[in-house]
Amino acid sequence: MKPLFSALLASSLALLAPFAPAAESPYAASADIAEFCEPFRTKHNLPALAAVVIEGNRIIAHSFTGVRKLGSPEKITPDDLFHLGSDSKAMTATVIARLIEAGKLKWTTTVGEIFGETVKGIHADWQPVTVRDLLTHHGGAPGAPSPELRQQMQRREGSPTEQRLALVRGTLAQPPVAAPGSRYLYSNIGYAIVGAMVEKILQRPWEEIIRDELFTPLGITSAGFGAPGKPGSLEQPWGHHKKREPVPPGPNSDNPPGVAPAGTAHMTMADWSRFVSLHLQASSHNPQRAVRLLSAKSFDWLHLPAPDPKMLYGCGWIVARHPLAKGSRKDDSGFILAHDGTNTMWYCTVIVAPERNHAFLVASNLGGADAQKGCAATAQALMARYLEK
């Protein structure tokens, strides 16, 4: 699920009406730009490519081309599900902000406060690590589990909550790989720890918490966890390894459920757009700022990066600049929020340009470098098409 960000960085309220009327397709008033996007799919040899352009709280353009599985004729459709990988980290962070506003925890809540008395053998250096440290990848959590922990997670023993707690116990028994707060170190484990902290506080599974706190309030109805679809069926797209071998839905088609807060969610492009639109409109850089679900202050915290010379990373978002994203106001800077996500069998890219009130979402059912390049190229081309003045 570790994102590949180089292509993105190189170019470096009132209550709103629902994202789309419930009885109407979210694409009803949207332009079909398949002719524009299809060359990117063929150039990078992607099984399928989906793309959506958002303006404010509506989809203004869409493209769905390619097949659900290489070697089979079934075409993808707007109703198909795509695995988001680490592009759901921003969803996890948004849930945390909701719970903070509800008084369940704080940005400064520490690992020691939650696990100090219930998880034996925690290394002392983990005690002061905060929720915000973990969400900005400054908590010192390792980038990958130890071989022993990896094998344990792959066995998928117990419920996802039990798997997360086992991951937490194994990780916290060793010292952090960097001093808490000292430097950026991308870590899926850090997000799994945050999820386990919330489960400990609320005494409920993470999968229920994110549904109740985020998916349901936003009207997201297609969300699930793991690779979409059923074994032996092509009712949904299949993921493909970088060498383009199809991967049937099942236990080996995604990362273990224990790391769900780091990115095992799937949903339709329209439902993903509901979430991205939330952050697009709520950004303090949006001249038409419209805030819902959270306070303006909470969105500001989510979009504020931890100071670091290596990477400006907020809570689930890379913070960067892009010349095409610069608005017309005197102080506009081309501010963007961006992220990539992959479980090595799917790939997706999102770029949010709040000064222009636009966002661009691209996804493919292929992992690897070709998918990264194809998604990035498509997103950049869409930015040029819709943002060039």
Side-chain angles (χ1 to χ4, degrees):
M1 287 183 291
K2 184 175 181 180
L4 301 174
F5 302 124
S6 57
L8 290 177
L9 297 178
S11 58
S12 23
L13 208 252
L15 291 173
L16 301 177
F19 186 80
E24 184 181 19
S25 166
Y27 302 107
S30 171
D32 188 338
I33 54 171
E35 186 175 348
F36 177 83
C37 294
E38 172 64 2
F40 295 99
R41 186 191 71 81
T42 57
K43 178 181 178 180
H44 297 280
N45 194 17
L46 309 179
L49 181 68
V52 167
V53 180
I54 302 171
E55 182 178 10
N57 71 336
R58 65 191 184 97
I59 294 172
I60 62 170
H62 68 274
S63 173
F64 296 89
T65 63
V67 295
R68 291 175 173 172
K69 174 190 171 186
L70 285 175
S72 297
E74 288 84 354
K75 303 289 187 182
I76 65 164
T77 75
D79 294 326
D80 281 356
L81 304 170
F82 283 83
H83 193 284
L84 302 184
S86 289
D87 277 1
S88 64
K89 280 185 169 64
M91 297 179 179
T92 292
T94 303
V95 170
I96 299 304
R98 288 263 290 175
L99 297 175
I100 288 171
E101 288 193 355
K104 303 298 183 181
L105 73 165
K106 302 176 182 177
W107 295 111
T108 55
T109 297
T110 66
V111 170
E113 288 176 62
I114 303 303
F115 293 124
E117 295 183 359
T118 57
V119 176
K120 297 180 179 179
I122 295 180
H123 192 280
D125 290 351
W126 281 106
Q127 296 284 345
V129 174
T130 69
V131 166
R132 183 163 173 81
D133 288 337
L134 293 167
L135 292 179
T136 59
H137 298 302
H138 279 71
S146 66
E148 294 78 15
L149 273 179
R150 183 186 299 275
Q151 291 178 4
Q152 182 178 3
M153 296 297 290
Q154 291 293 346
R155 290 196 294 269
R156 292 168 164 79
E157 295 174 346
S159 68
T161 296
E162 291 168 334
Q163 292 179 45
R164 271 185 285 280
L165 188 56
L167 178 62
V168 167
R169 287 186 176 125
T171 301
L172 300 187
Q174 303 299 319
V177 296
S182 65
R183 64 185 177 95
Y184 171 87
L185 183 64
Y186 192 88
S187 175
N188 291 319
I189 295 177
Y191 270 69
I193 293 172
V194 171
M197 292 171 72
V198 171
E199 289 178 317
K200 177 69 166 55
I201 293 169
L202 299 185
Q203 293 295 298
R204 297 173 58 211
W206 169 256
E207 291 77 6
E208 291 182 8
I209 295 168
I210 192 171
R211 285 187 188 279
D212 292 347
E213 296 293 335
L214 187 68
F215 297 158
T216 298
L218 290 183
I220 293 174
T221 59
S222 65
F225 303 94
K230 300 176 182 177
S233 169
L234 267 179
E235 64 178 8
Q236 293 295 338
W238 287 20
H240 295 72
H241 286 300
K242 63 182 179 180
K243 294 185 178 181
R244 293 172 178 78
E245 306 101 332
V247 182
N252 296 321
S253 59
D254 195 17
N255 290 287
V259 297
T264 68
H266 65 249
M267 62 187 65
T268 64
M269 296 293 287
D271 273 350
W272 186 22
S273 297
R274 293 175 185 271
F275 173 76
V276 173
S277 176
L278 174 74
H279 282 265
L280 166 65
Q281 295 182 279
S283 169
S284 62
H285 292 262
N286 193 322
Q288 304 175 47
R289 189 178 199 186
V291 177
R292 59 191 171 104
L293 198 67
L294 292 169
S295 67
K297 182 179 179 181
S298 288
F299 281 109
D300 291 345
W301 272 107
L302 289 170
H303 299 166
L304 178 68
D308 193 293
K310 181 179 178 182
M311 175 72 72
L312 292 179
Y313 195 98
C315 296
W317 295 105
I318 294 174
V319 178
R321 300 287 185 270
H322 195 294
L324 291 176
K326 188 174 182 179
S328 58
R329 297 175 299 179
K330 184 178 180 180
D331 60 345
D332 283 348
S333 62
F335 176 93
I336 64 169
L337 300 169
H339 215 285
D340 285 9
T342 181
N343 69 348
T344 74
M345 292 160 273
W346 301 73
Y347 208 97
C348 57
T349 293
V350 58
I351 303 175
V352 180
E355 290 171 8
R356 303 295 301 277
N357 199 29
H358 278 68
F360 307 88
L361 296 71
V362 183
S364 179
N365 55 340
L366 174 72
D370 287 344
Q372 185 270 330
K373 292 174 184 177
C375 288
T378 306
Q380 296 287 347
L382 289 171
M383 290 186 75
R385 178 181 172 118
Y386 286 93
L387 300 185
E388 278 187 344
K389 299 177 182 178

PDB file of all heavy atoms in Angstrom, residues 64-98:
ATOM      1  N   PHE A  64     -14.657   5.540 -17.987  1.00  0.00           N
ATOM      2  CA  PHE A  64     -14.509   4.152 -17.548  1.00  0.00           C
ATOM      3  C   PHE A  64     -14.195   3.306 -18.780  1.00  0.00           C
ATOM      4  O   PHE A  64     -15.064   3.078 -19.619  1.00  0.00           O
ATOM      5  CB  PHE A  64     -15.782   3.651 -16.861  1.00  0.00           C
ATOM      6  CG  PHE A  64     -16.104   4.381 -15.588  1.00  0.00           C
ATOM      7  CD1 PHE A  64     -16.891   5.527 -15.604  1.00  0.00           C
ATOM      8  CD2 PHE A  64     -15.597   3.941 -14.377  1.00  0.00           C
ATOM      9  CE1 PHE A  64     -17.170   6.214 -14.427  1.00  0.00           C
ATOM     10  CE2 PHE A  64     -15.863   4.616 -13.193  1.00  0.00           C
ATOM     11  CZ  PHE A  64     -16.653   5.765 -13.223  1.00  0.00           C
ATOM     12  N   THR A  65     -12.930   2.872 -18.889  1.00  0.00           N
ATOM     13  CA  THR A  65     -12.533   2.098 -20.065  1.00  0.00           C
ATOM     14  C   THR A  65     -11.747   0.859 -19.630  1.00  0.00           C
ATOM     15  O   THR A  65     -11.157   0.826 -18.547  1.00  0.00           O
ATOM     16  CB  THR A  65     -11.656   2.938 -21.009  1.00  0.00           C
ATOM     17  OG1 THR A  65     -10.430   3.299 -20.345  1.00  0.00           O
ATOM     18  CG2 THR A  65     -12.375   4.197 -21.448  1.00  0.00           C
ATOM     19  N   GLY A  66     -11.724  -0.139 -20.495  1.00  0.00           N
ATOM     20  CA  GLY A  66     -10.976  -1.354 -20.213  1.00  0.00           C
ATOM     21  C   GLY A  66     -11.833  -2.457 -19.648  1.00  0.00           C
ATOM     22  O   GLY A  66     -13.069  -2.376 -19.606  1.00  0.00           O
ATOM     23  N   VAL A  67     -11.168  -3.518 -19.184  1.00  0.00           N
ATOM     24  CA  VAL A  67     -11.859  -4.736 -18.772  1.00  0.00           C
ATOM     25  C   VAL A  67     -11.637  -5.044 -17.288  1.00  0.00           C
ATOM     26  O   VAL A  67     -10.668  -4.607 -16.678  1.00  0.00           O
ATOM     27  CB  VAL A  67     -11.397  -5.943 -19.612  1.00  0.00           C
ATOM     28  CG1 VAL A  67     -11.791  -5.755 -21.066  1.00  0.00           C
ATOM     29  CG2 VAL A  67      -9.886  -6.159 -19.485  1.00  0.00           C
ATOM     30  N   ARG A  68     -12.561  -5.821 -16.755  1.00  0.00           N
ATOM     31  CA  ARG A  68     -12.457  -6.231 -15.357  1.00  0.00           C
ATOM     32  C   ARG A  68     -11.313  -7.208 -15.119  1.00  0.00           C
ATOM     33  O   ARG A  68     -10.742  -7.243 -14.042  1.00  0.00           O
ATOM     34  CB  ARG A  68     -13.777  -6.861 -14.905  1.00  0.00           C
ATOM     35  CG  ARG A  68     -14.917  -5.875 -14.798  1.00  0.00           C
ATOM     36  CD  ARG A  68     -16.233  -6.568 -14.473  1.00  0.00           C
ATOM     37  NE  ARG A  68     -17.293  -5.598 -14.200  1.00  0.00           N
ATOM     38  CZ  ARG A  68     -18.560  -5.911 -14.043  1.00  0.00           C
ATOM     39  NH1 ARG A  68     -18.940  -7.195 -14.135  1.00  0.00           N
ATOM     40  NH2 ARG A  68     -19.456  -4.974 -13.797  1.00  0.00           N
ATOM     41  N   LYS A  69     -10.996  -7.976 -16.118  1.00  0.00           N
ATOM     42  CA  LYS A  69      -9.937  -8.979 -15.991  1.00  0.00           C
ATOM     43  C   LYS A  69      -9.304  -9.194 -17.355  1.00  0.00           C
ATOM     44  O   LYS A  69     -10.010  -9.388 -18.352  1.00  0.00           O
ATOM     45  CB  LYS A  69     -10.506 -10.299 -15.467  1.00  0.00           C
ATOM     46  CG  LYS A  69      -9.521 -11.450 -15.424  1.00  0.00           C
ATOM     47  CD  LYS A  69     -10.245 -12.762 -15.134  1.00  0.00           C
ATOM     48  CE  LYS A  69      -9.325 -13.961 -15.294  1.00  0.00           C
ATOM     49  NZ  LYS A  69     -10.060 -15.238 -15.163  1.00  0.00           N
ATOM     50  N   LEU A  70      -7.982  -9.146 -17.404  1.00  0.00           N
ATOM     51  CA  LEU A  70      -7.305  -9.415 -18.656  1.00  0.00           C
ATOM     52  C   LEU A  70      -7.623 -10.830 -19.142  1.00  0.00           C
ATOM     53  O   LEU A  70      -7.611 -11.779 -18.354  1.00  0.00           O
ATOM     54  CB  LEU A  70      -5.795  -9.255 -18.489  1.00  0.00           C
ATOM     55  CG  LEU A  70      -5.277  -7.807 -18.400  1.00  0.00           C
ATOM     56  CD1 LEU A  70      -3.784  -7.799 -18.121  1.00  0.00           C
ATOM     57  CD2 LEU A  70      -5.578  -7.039 -19.681  1.00  0.00           C
ATOM     58  N   GLY A  71      -7.925 -10.949 -20.424  1.00  0.00           N
ATOM     59  CA  GLY A  71      -8.296 -12.237 -20.996  1.00  0.00           C
ATOM     60  C   GLY A  71      -9.782 -12.488 -21.009  1.00  0.00           C
ATOM     61  O   GLY A  71     -10.239 -13.494 -21.558  1.00  0.00           O
ATOM     62  N   SER A  72     -10.569 -11.590 -20.386  1.00  0.00           N
ATOM     63  CA  SER A  72     -12.021 -11.718 -20.366  1.00  0.00           C
ATOM     64  C   SER A  72     -12.639 -10.458 -20.980  1.00  0.00           C
ATOM     65  O   SER A  72     -12.062  -9.375 -20.889  1.00  0.00           O
ATOM     66  CB  SER A  72     -12.538 -11.911 -18.934  1.00  0.00           C
ATOM     67  OG  SER A  72     -12.040 -13.119 -18.394  1.00  0.00           O
ATOM     68  N   PRO A  73     -13.814 -10.571 -21.581  1.00  0.00           N
ATOM     69  CA  PRO A  73     -14.383  -9.434 -22.308  1.00  0.00           C
ATOM     70  C   PRO A  73     -15.165  -8.442 -21.459  1.00  0.00           C
ATOM     71  O   PRO A  73     -15.513  -7.364 -21.937  1.00  0.00           O
ATOM     72  CB  PRO A  73     -15.314 -10.110 -23.317  1.00  0.00           C
ATOM     73  CG  PRO A  73     -15.773 -11.352 -22.601  1.00  0.00           C
ATOM     74  CD  PRO A  73     -14.576 -11.813 -21.800  1.00  0.00           C
ATOM     75  N   GLU A  74     -15.454  -8.773 -20.192  1.00  0.00           N
ATOM     76  CA  GLU A  74     -16.326  -7.910 -19.388  1.00  0.00           C
ATOM     77  C   GLU A  74     -15.708  -6.528 -19.182  1.00  0.00           C
ATOM     78  O   GLU A  74     -14.619  -6.397 -18.628  1.00  0.00           O
ATOM     79  CB  GLU A  74     -16.611  -8.546 -18.024  1.00  0.00           C
ATOM     80  CG  GLU A  74     -17.551  -9.739 -18.084  1.00  0.00           C
ATOM     81  CD  GLU A  74     -16.843 -11.035 -18.416  1.00  0.00           C
ATOM     82  OE1 GLU A  74     -15.618 -10.981 -18.706  1.00  0.00           O
ATOM     83  OE2 GLU A  74     -17.488 -12.100 -18.395  1.00  0.00           O
ATOM     84  N   LYS A  75     -16.428  -5.492 -19.619  1.00  0.00           N
ATOM     85  CA  LYS A  75     -15.959  -4.118 -19.487  1.00  0.00           C
ATOM     86  C   LYS A  75     -16.276  -3.579 -18.083  1.00  0.00           C
ATOM     87  O   LYS A  75     -17.251  -3.993 -17.453  1.00  0.00           O
ATOM     88  CB  LYS A  75     -16.634  -3.218 -20.520  1.00  0.00           C
ATOM     89  CG  LYS A  75     -16.448  -3.668 -21.959  1.00  0.00           C
ATOM     90  CD  LYS A  75     -15.029  -3.447 -22.423  1.00  0.00           C
ATOM     91  CE  LYS A  75     -14.884  -3.724 -23.916  1.00  0.00           C
ATOM     92  NZ  LYS A  75     -13.483  -3.553 -24.390  1.00  0.00           N
ATOM     93  N   ILE A  76     -15.440  -2.651 -17.605  1.00  0.00           N
ATOM     94  CA  ILE A  76     -15.773  -1.993 -16.346  1.00  0.00           C
ATOM     95  C   ILE A  76     -16.934  -1.033 -16.566  1.00  0.00           C
ATOM     96  O   ILE A  76     -17.191  -0.590 -17.689  1.00  0.00           O
ATOM     97  CB  ILE A  76     -14.569  -1.244 -15.735  1.00  0.00           C
ATOM     98  CG1 ILE A  76     -14.119  -0.083 -16.631  1.00  0.00           C
ATOM     99  CG2 ILE A  76     -13.436  -2.191 -15.439  1.00  0.00           C
ATOM    100  CD1 ILE A  76     -13.202   0.907 -15.911  1.00  0.00           C
ATOM    101  N   THR A  77     -17.639  -0.724 -15.484  1.00  0.00           N
ATOM    102  CA  THR A  77     -18.793   0.178 -15.543  1.00  0.00           C
ATOM    103  C   THR A  77     -18.675   1.217 -14.431  1.00  0.00           C
ATOM    104  O   THR A  77     -17.882   1.052 -13.485  1.00  0.00           O
ATOM    105  CB  THR A  77     -20.104  -0.591 -15.356  1.00  0.00           C
ATOM    106  OG1 THR A  77     -20.248  -0.937 -13.950  1.00  0.00           O
ATOM    107  CG2 THR A  77     -20.144  -1.863 -16.195  1.00  0.00           C
ATOM    108  N   PRO A  78     -19.457   2.288 -14.483  1.00  0.00           N
ATOM    109  CA  PRO A  78     -19.433   3.284 -13.405  1.00  0.00           C
ATOM    110  C   PRO A  78     -19.833   2.719 -12.045  1.00  0.00           C
ATOM    111  O   PRO A  78     -19.530   3.336 -11.018  1.00  0.00           O
ATOM    112  CB  PRO A  78     -20.440   4.337 -13.885  1.00  0.00           C
ATOM    113  CG  PRO A  78     -20.417   4.221 -15.369  1.00  0.00           C
ATOM    114  CD  PRO A  78     -20.261   2.747 -15.633  1.00  0.00           C
ATOM    115  N   ASP A  79     -20.507   1.574 -12.026  1.00  0.00           N
ATOM    116  CA  ASP A  79     -20.928   0.978 -10.755  1.00  0.00           C
ATOM    117  C   ASP A  79     -19.888   0.034 -10.172  1.00  0.00           C
ATOM    118  O   ASP A  79     -20.087  -0.511  -9.077  1.00  0.00           O
ATOM    119  CB  ASP A  79     -22.242   0.211 -10.946  1.00  0.00           C
ATOM    120  CG  ASP A  79     -23.397   1.128 -11.288  1.00  0.00           C
ATOM    121  OD1 ASP A  79     -23.417   2.272 -10.785  1.00  0.00           O
ATOM    122  OD2 ASP A  79     -24.262   0.711 -12.076  1.00  0.00           O
ATOM    123  N   ASP A  80     -18.770  -0.167 -10.853  1.00  0.00           N
ATOM    124  CA  ASP A  80     -17.753  -1.095 -10.375  1.00  0.00           C
ATOM    125  C   ASP A  80     -16.987  -0.516  -9.185  1.00  0.00           C
ATOM    126  O   ASP A  80     -16.879   0.701  -9.007  1.00  0.00           O
ATOM    127  CB  ASP A  80     -16.776  -1.439 -11.497  1.00  0.00           C
ATOM    128  CG  ASP A  80     -17.345  -2.475 -12.456  1.00  0.00           C
ATOM    129  OD1 ASP A  80     -18.455  -2.981 -12.204  1.00  0.00           O
ATOM    130  OD2 ASP A  80     -16.675  -2.772 -13.464  1.00  0.00           O
ATOM    131  N   LEU A  81     -16.428  -1.440  -8.396  1.00  0.00           N
ATOM    132  CA  LEU A  81     -15.695  -1.087  -7.188  1.00  0.00           C
ATOM    133  C   LEU A  81     -14.190  -1.079  -7.465  1.00  0.00           C
ATOM    134  O   LEU A  81     -13.687  -1.943  -8.178  1.00  0.00           O
ATOM    135  CB  LEU A  81     -15.997  -2.093  -6.077  1.00  0.00           C
ATOM    136  CG  LEU A  81     -17.481  -2.275  -5.717  1.00  0.00           C
ATOM    137  CD1 LEU A  81     -17.650  -3.470  -4.779  1.00  0.00           C
ATOM    138  CD2 LEU A  81     -18.034  -1.015  -5.071  1.00  0.00           C
ATOM    139  N   PHE A  82     -13.496  -0.109  -6.862  1.00  0.00           N
ATOM    140  CA  PHE A  82     -12.044  -0.020  -6.990  1.00  0.00           C
ATOM    141  C   PHE A  82     -11.402   0.017  -5.608  1.00  0.00           C
ATOM    142  O   PHE A  82     -11.905   0.672  -4.696  1.00  0.00           O
ATOM    143  CB  PHE A  82     -11.646   1.225  -7.797  1.00  0.00           C
ATOM    144  CG  PHE A  82     -11.860   1.059  -9.270  1.00  0.00           C
ATOM    145  CD1 PHE A  82     -13.108   1.276  -9.829  1.00  0.00           C
ATOM    146  CD2 PHE A  82     -10.817   0.659 -10.095  1.00  0.00           C
ATOM    147  CE1 PHE A  82     -13.326   1.092 -11.187  1.00  0.00           C
ATOM    148  CE2 PHE A  82     -11.017   0.480 -11.455  1.00  0.00           C
ATOM    149  CZ  PHE A  82     -12.270   0.694 -11.995  1.00  0.00           C
ATOM    150  N   HIS A  83     -10.294  -0.695  -5.484  1.00  0.00           N
ATOM    151  CA  HIS A  83      -9.551  -0.732  -4.227  1.00  0.00           C
ATOM    152  C   HIS A  83      -8.750   0.563  -4.103  1.00  0.00           C
ATOM    153  O   HIS A  83      -8.030   0.951  -5.024  1.00  0.00           O
ATOM    154  CB  HIS A  83      -8.617  -1.944  -4.219  1.00  0.00           C
ATOM    155  CG  HIS A  83      -8.037  -2.261  -2.881  1.00  0.00           C
ATOM    156  ND1 HIS A  83      -7.008  -1.528  -2.319  1.00  0.00           N
ATOM    157  CD2 HIS A  83      -8.348  -3.228  -1.982  1.00  0.00           C
ATOM    158  CE1 HIS A  83      -6.705  -2.038  -1.143  1.00  0.00           C
ATOM    159  NE2 HIS A  83      -7.508  -3.066  -0.907  1.00  0.00           N
ATOM    160  N   LEU A  84      -8.861   1.235  -2.951  1.00  0.00           N
ATOM    161  CA  LEU A  84      -8.245   2.548  -2.772  1.00  0.00           C
ATOM    162  C   LEU A  84      -6.869   2.504  -2.125  1.00  0.00           C
ATOM    163  O   LEU A  84      -6.157   3.517  -2.115  1.00  0.00           O
ATOM    164  CB  LEU A  84      -9.163   3.442  -1.931  1.00  0.00           C
ATOM    165  CG  LEU A  84     -10.567   3.679  -2.482  1.00  0.00           C
ATOM    166  CD1 LEU A  84     -11.304   4.667  -1.591  1.00  0.00           C
ATOM    167  CD2 LEU A  84     -10.523   4.172  -3.916  1.00  0.00           C
ATOM    168  N   GLY A  85      -6.481   1.365  -1.547  1.00  0.00           N
ATOM    169  CA  GLY A  85      -5.189   1.318  -0.883  1.00  0.00           C
ATOM    170  C   GLY A  85      -5.033   2.461   0.095  1.00  0.00           C
ATOM    171  O   GLY A  85      -5.952   2.823   0.831  1.00  0.00           O
ATOM    172  N   SER A  86      -3.867   3.088   0.071  1.00  0.00           N
ATOM    173  CA  SER A  86      -3.562   4.140   1.043  1.00  0.00           C
ATOM    174  C   SER A  86      -4.297   5.437   0.795  1.00  0.00           C
ATOM    175  O   SER A  86      -4.185   6.366   1.596  1.00  0.00           O
ATOM    176  CB  SER A  86      -2.059   4.403   1.063  1.00  0.00           C
ATOM    177  OG  SER A  86      -1.384   3.324   1.666  1.00  0.00           O
ATOM    178  N   ASP A  87      -5.056   5.531  -0.299  1.00  0.00           N
ATOM    179  CA  ASP A  87      -5.888   6.718  -0.470  1.00  0.00           C
ATOM    180  C   ASP A  87      -7.034   6.748   0.533  1.00  0.00           C
ATOM    181  O   ASP A  87      -7.768   7.736   0.608  1.00  0.00           O
ATOM    182  CB  ASP A  87      -6.413   6.792  -1.901  1.00  0.00           C
ATOM    183  CG  ASP A  87      -5.392   7.410  -2.831  1.00  0.00           C
ATOM    184  OD1 ASP A  87      -4.292   7.751  -2.359  1.00  0.00           O
ATOM    185  OD2 ASP A  87      -5.677   7.564  -4.035  1.00  0.00           O
ATOM    186  N   SER A  88      -7.193   5.685   1.303  1.00  0.00           N
ATOM    187  CA  SER A  88      -8.175   5.723   2.391  1.00  0.00           C
ATOM    188  C   SER A  88      -7.554   6.139   3.725  1.00  0.00           C
ATOM    189  O   SER A  88      -8.256   6.195   4.735  1.00  0.00           O
ATOM    190  CB  SER A  88      -8.887   4.373   2.523  1.00  0.00           C
ATOM    191  OG  SER A  88      -7.981   3.349   2.885  1.00  0.00           O
ATOM    192  N   LYS A  89      -6.263   6.431   3.755  1.00  0.00           N
ATOM    193  CA  LYS A  89      -5.664   6.944   4.997  1.00  0.00           C
ATOM    194  C   LYS A  89      -6.313   8.258   5.414  1.00  0.00           C
ATOM    195  O   LYS A  89      -6.518   8.522   6.598  1.00  0.00           O
ATOM    196  CB  LYS A  89      -4.150   7.126   4.841  1.00  0.00           C
ATOM    197  CG  LYS A  89      -3.352   5.833   4.976  1.00  0.00           C
ATOM    198  CD  LYS A  89      -1.855   6.097   4.922  1.00  0.00           C
ATOM    199  CE  LYS A  89      -1.051   4.862   5.334  1.00  0.00           C
ATOM    200  NZ  LYS A  89      -1.222   3.716   4.440  1.00  0.00           N
ATOM    201  N   ALA A  90      -6.636   9.103   4.433  1.00  0.00           N
ATOM    202  CA  ALA A  90      -7.320  10.359   4.757  1.00  0.00           C
ATOM    203  C   ALA A  90      -8.687  10.095   5.367  1.00  0.00           C
ATOM    204  O   ALA A  90      -9.177  10.891   6.178  1.00  0.00           O
ATOM    205  CB  ALA A  90      -7.450  11.224   3.508  1.00  0.00           C
ATOM    206  N   MET A  91      -9.313   8.975   5.009  1.00  0.00           N
ATOM    207  CA  MET A  91     -10.594   8.608   5.612  1.00  0.00           C
ATOM    208  C   MET A  91     -10.400   8.253   7.077  1.00  0.00           C
ATOM    209  O   MET A  91     -11.182   8.666   7.942  1.00  0.00           O
ATOM    210  CB  MET A  91     -11.217   7.444   4.852  1.00  0.00           C
ATOM    211  CG  MET A  91     -11.544   7.760   3.404  1.00  0.00           C
ATOM    212  SD  MET A  91     -12.247   6.319   2.544  1.00  0.00           S
ATOM    213  CE  MET A  91     -12.534   7.032   0.921  1.00  0.00           C
ATOM    214  N   THR A  92      -9.359   7.473   7.345  1.00  0.00           N
ATOM    215  CA  THR A  92      -9.058   7.125   8.739  1.00  0.00           C
ATOM    216  C   THR A  92      -8.830   8.386   9.562  1.00  0.00           C
ATOM    217  O   THR A  92      -9.359   8.535  10.674  1.00  0.00           O
ATOM    218  CB  THR A  92      -7.820   6.219   8.791  1.00  0.00           C
ATOM    219  OG1 THR A  92      -8.143   4.951   8.213  1.00  0.00           O
ATOM    220  CG2 THR A  92      -7.332   6.010  10.222  1.00  0.00           C
ATOM    221  N   ALA A  93      -8.044   9.310   9.038  1.00  0.00           N
ATOM    222  CA  ALA A  93      -7.759  10.547   9.765  1.00  0.00           C
ATOM    223  C   ALA A  93      -9.023  11.371   9.983  1.00  0.00           C
ATOM    224  O   ALA A  93      -9.195  11.995  11.044  1.00  0.00           O
ATOM    225  CB  ALA A  93      -6.712  11.365   9.003  1.00  0.00           C
ATOM    226  N   THR A  94      -9.927  11.364   9.009  1.00  0.00           N
ATOM    227  CA  THR A  94     -11.181  12.108   9.152  1.00  0.00           C
ATOM    228  C   THR A  94     -12.039  11.519  10.262  1.00  0.00           C
ATOM    229  O   THR A  94     -12.666  12.251  11.042  1.00  0.00           O
ATOM    230  CB  THR A  94     -11.942  12.113   7.815  1.00  0.00           C
ATOM    231  OG1 THR A  94     -11.113  12.683   6.797  1.00  0.00           O
ATOM    232  CG2 THR A  94     -13.226  12.916   7.919  1.00  0.00           C
ATOM    233  N   VAL A  95     -12.052  10.189  10.355  1.00  0.00           N
ATOM    234  CA  VAL A  95     -12.774   9.548  11.450  1.00  0.00           C
ATOM    235  C   VAL A  95     -12.183   9.958  12.794  1.00  0.00           C
ATOM    236  O   VAL A  95     -12.911  10.261  13.747  1.00  0.00           O
ATOM    237  CB  VAL A  95     -12.737   8.017  11.297  1.00  0.00           C
ATOM    238  CG1 VAL A  95     -13.278   7.320  12.544  1.00  0.00           C
ATOM    239  CG2 VAL A  95     -13.543   7.583  10.075  1.00  0.00           C
ATOM    240  N   ILE A  96     -10.860   9.992  12.883  1.00  0.00           N
ATOM    241  CA  ILE A  96     -10.216  10.397  14.133  1.00  0.00           C
ATOM    242  C   ILE A  96     -10.626  11.812  14.502  1.00  0.00           C
ATOM    243  O   ILE A  96     -10.920  12.108  15.673  1.00  0.00           O
ATOM    244  CB  ILE A  96      -8.679  10.290  14.007  1.00  0.00           C
ATOM    245  CG1 ILE A  96      -8.257   8.849  13.716  1.00  0.00           C
ATOM    246  CG2 ILE A  96      -8.008  10.805  15.282  1.00  0.00           C
ATOM    247  CD1 ILE A  96      -8.736   7.829  14.705  1.00  0.00           C
ATOM    248  N   ALA A  97     -10.658  12.704  13.518  1.00  0.00           N
ATOM    249  CA  ALA A  97     -11.075  14.084  13.798  1.00  0.00           C
ATOM    250  C   ALA A  97     -12.515  14.128  14.307  1.00  0.00           C
ATOM    251  O   ALA A  97     -12.843  14.921  15.207  1.00  0.00           O
ATOM    252  CB  ALA A  97     -10.926  14.932  12.544  1.00  0.00           C
ATOM    253  N   ARG A  98     -13.382  13.297  13.754  1.00  0.00           N
ATOM    254  CA  ARG A  98     -14.762  13.219  14.242  1.00  0.00           C
ATOM    255  C   ARG A  98     -14.797  12.805  15.704  1.00  0.00           C
ATOM    256  O   ARG A  98     -15.530  13.383  16.519  1.00  0.00           O
ATOM    257  CB  ARG A  98     -15.543  12.195  13.410  1.00  0.00           C
ATOM    258  CG  ARG A  98     -15.862  12.624  11.999  1.00  0.00           C
ATOM    259  CD  ARG A  98     -17.255  13.186  11.880  1.00  0.00           C
ATOM    260  NE  ARG A  98     -18.275  12.148  12.047  1.00  0.00           N
ATOM    261  CZ  ARG A  98     -19.596  12.410  12.077  1.00  0.00           C
ATOM    262  NH1 ARG A  98     -20.022  13.651  11.984  1.00  0.00           N
ATOM    263  NH2 ARG A  98     -20.474  11.432  12.209  1.00  0.00           N
TER     264      ARG A  98
END
